[in-house]
Amino acid sequence: MRQHEFGSGGPAVGVIGQGTWYIDRGDRKHAVTALRRGIDLGMTHIDTAEMYGDAELVVAEAIAGRRDDIFLVSKVLPSNASRHGTITACERSLAR
């Protein structure tokens, strides 16, 4: 998997990431397996969002024990886009 430096001097991140929109709507075991397979293949960039329902919970299960290997991206709802709202939403995402 080709990687690119994130920012100036940041970590190397896979140029292809795994999206998680609707990942909580199907078979959870298959979703976790798919995410883990992608990680094994070098797709260590995972994109999720608080508005994706339980997607962050599926991601948490998939990356258990491998968090330090993952570049996790989550997005906040526009209604949480204030300074305080963003921090609070981020804390909730991290807890999930």
Side-chain angles (χ1 to χ4, degrees):
M1 169 66 57
R2 195 176 84 200
Q3 297 190 330
H4 189 270
E5 185 178 284
F6 185 77
S8 178
V13 178
V15 296
I16 299 175
Q18 298 187 76
T20 60
W21 178 249
Y22 286 126
I23 201 164
D24 62 327
R25 306 264 174 107
D27 181 278
R28 188 178 185 121
K29 182 179 176 183
H30 284 103
V32 168
T33 300
L35 285 171
R36 287 180 178 164
R37 179 71 174 136
I39 293 166
D40 291 341
L41 293 172
M43 293 174 36
T44 57
H45 168 194
I46 299 177
D47 175 83
T48 191
E50 67 176 331
M51 73 176 284
Y52 292 3
D54 287 337
E56 290 178 327
L57 299 175
V58 176
V59 170
E61 186 175 339
I63 68 173
R66 300 182 76 175
R67 178 60 183 99
D68 291 343
D69 301 329
I70 307 300
F71 190 83
L72 187 59
V73 177
S74 191
K75 297 172 288 300
V76 272
L77 289 165
S79 59
N80 292 332
S82 67
R83 177 178 173 83
H84 176 72
T86 298
I87 292 168
T88 302
C90 183
E91 289 170 346
R92 284 193 306 262
S93 289
L94 289 170
R96 284 188 290 273

